[in-house]
Amino acid sequence: VGVEGNLILPEKKLLELISISNEEFYNREALRNDIIALNDIYANEGYANVDISPLIDQDEKEFIVHIAFEITKNAQVYFERIIISGNSKTRDKVIRRELRVYEQELFSAKRLKASVRNLYRLDFFEDIKVDTTAGSAEDKKNLKIEVKEKSTGSFQLGAGYGNVESFFGVINIAERNLFGRGQRLALESKLGAQTLKFSVNFTEPWLFNIPLNARIEAYNWDYSFDEYDKHSIGGSLG
């Protein structure tokens, strides 16, 4: 097994990443995986149009296959435009700040995959489709991101019984993508024979437009003891 053509890493290093050399027998699946791995290595450096062709030479007498990966890296590619669609609620800004690829910067398959992972981690979308199309020049590509939004609100209603409270009820309402800004608002309440508690908390995940999480909470709590009543109002910042 060998590599030839436009190498961006030393030949020895590339050969270490090729798994088919460890196979006892010729394996087409391993060959495909090696082509994908080499493509990713070049795509991470901006060579989105790399051409990798396996040249196979069979020695029928010795039952041996010689494989040479011929690599033509072509020109580096830049992202020209990033086009976002399908977000009827979530603002473009909320999506773009999770991306690790940017307009007018080099193409990177690794950072593109990280961008998709970040978007799924938001838990605002049930499906995300990514596609690249030709840009205005040979060294430019447009990135299209199509999202399918899902419900981000929740409502919980519960009841229980305890030795102290006897019967009590719980009502929780939350929205984790408030007004499409990626903010979280939660209202929680507990009503029992001796307790009446209300709390509200708000979270801003990008304070001052940087990845700094800020949280504010306020509560109102009434508790009836046998000999006196307790009334508390408070809050916290984080």
Side-chain angles (χ1 to χ4, degrees):
V1 178
V3 290
E4 55 188 47
N6 305 127
L7 307 184
I8 61 173
L9 291 175
E11 182 179 5
K12 182 179 179 181
K13 182 66 175 178
L14 287 175
L15 288 174
E16 290 176 355
L17 302 173
I18 295 174
S19 63
I20 197 168
S21 58
N22 300 321
E23 298 285 335
E24 182 178 1
F25 301 103
Y26 176 76
N27 187 322
R28 287 188 178 182
E29 184 177 357
L31 181 62
R32 285 195 297 269
N33 291 337
D34 285 337
I35 294 173
I36 293 172
L38 291 172
N39 266 288
D40 286 344
I41 292 170
Y42 278 77
N44 290 337
E45 300 298 327
Y47 298 102
N49 295 325
V50 62
D51 183 19
I52 299 175
S53 302
L55 306 179
I56 301 174
D57 180 19
Q58 300 183 42
D59 187 337
E60 297 181 357
K61 291 183 179 180
E62 298 295 332
F63 300 102
I64 294 175
V65 175
H66 303 285
I67 303 173
F69 293 89
E70 186 177 45
I71 301 174
T72 305
K73 64 183 181 181
N74 296 311
Q76 286 182 305
V77 174
Y78 294 81
F79 286 112
E80 183 173 17
R81 295 180 60 207
I82 298 177
I83 305 164
I84 299 171
S85 62
N87 53 321
S88 58
K89 176 183 177 181
T90 307
R91 304 193 179 197
D92 271 27
K93 177 182 178 180
V94 174
I95 296 175
R96 288 182 184 273
R97 69 192 183 191
E98 298 295 333
L99 302 181
R100 296 299 173 262
V101 293
Y102 310 97
E103 294 178 344
Q104 310 308 320
E105 288 196 1
L106 270 178
F107 183 96
S108 171
K110 182 178 181 180
R111 288 190 284 114
L112 181 55
K113 291 177 182 177
S115 301
V116 175
R117 285 197 300 269
N118 287 350
L119 292 178
Y120 272 115
R121 194 177 295 121
L122 289 175
D123 200 25
F124 299 163
F125 315 110
E126 62 180 65
D127 191 28
I128 302 169
K129 295 181 180 179
V130 176
D131 189 24
T132 55
T133 59
S136 60
E138 186 178 349
D139 64 342
K140 297 183 185 296
K141 281 186 179 292
N142 293 321
L143 174 62
K144 293 184 178 181
I145 301 175
E146 183 181 357
V147 299
K148 184 177 181 181
E149 294 179 312
K150 64 180 180 181
S151 175
T152 54
S154 64
F155 175 79
Q156 297 177 338
L157 180 64
Y161 179 84
N163 293 332
V164 178
E165 284 285 347
S166 296
F167 288 101
F168 63 89
V170 176
I171 301 175
N172 296 330
I173 303 172
E175 170 58 57
R176 61 179 185 275
N177 187 16
L178 188 65
F179 305 124
R181 296 176 180 269
Q183 300 162 334
R184 185 181 187 277
L185 179 67
L187 306 173
E188 302 175 358
S189 63
K190 180 180 180 181
L191 297 82
Q194 294 177 282
T195 301
L196 180 63
K197 184 177 182 180
F198 297 96
S199 66
V200 55
N201 61 76
F202 173 81
T203 302
E204 167 57 70
W206 279 72
L207 188 65
F208 309 127
N209 289 320
I210 61 175
L212 176 64
N213 188 300
R215 187 173 187 271
I216 182 172
E217 181 179 12
Y219 65 85
N220 188 332
W221 189 2
D222 289 321
Y223 194 96
S224 297
F225 294 92
D226 292 336
E227 299 178 355
Y228 64 94
D229 294 339
K230 179 182 179 180
H231 179 64
S232 299
I233 296 176
S236 63
L237 292 171

